[in-house]
Amino acid sequence: MLRYSLKRLAQSLATLFIILTIVFLLMRLMPEEGYFGQAYEKLDPAQREAILTSMGLRDPIVVLYDISQKH
């Protein structure tokens, strides 16, 4: 019974990791306009870049994934 429980726990953790990775990648592949909504047209490119940088979206993917796992 313990072996079965450990196997199910391992499967659950693997599934959770896969789901988190898929959601992370889908969010990362979202167009930049999606982060700003209606305000996208009102912002100039420098403002957009500053906002994306402050949100950490200009960091490498490895850094972003590590940060997303800590929150």
Side-chain angles (χ1 to χ4, degrees):
M1 185 64 146
L2 179 62
R3 184 176 173 190
Y4 174 77
S5 297
L6 291 176
K7 181 179 175 183
R8 294 292 291 176
L9 179 63
Q11 288 175 343
S12 298
L13 291 175
T15 303
L16 182 62
F17 176 76
I18 290 169
I19 290 171
L20 287 173
T21 302
I22 290 171
V23 169
F24 172 79
L25 291 175
L26 288 175
M27 290 295 293
R28 187 69 178 143
L29 294 172
M30 184 172 72
E32 290 179 357
E33 302 92 50
Y35 292 108
F36 299 105
Q38 299 290 340
Y40 185 77
E41 291 85 21
K42 298 176 186 174
L43 298 171
D44 62 42
Q47 289 175 320
R48 288 185 217 139
E49 190 65 33
I51 293 170
L52 290 172
T53 303
S54 71
M55 291 175 15
L57 295 173
R58 293 294 185 220
D59 294 338
I61 289 180
V62 176
V63 173
L64 287 174
Y65 192 76
D66 184 48
I67 290 171
S68 70
Q69 298 303 310
K70 291 181 182 178
H71 286 97

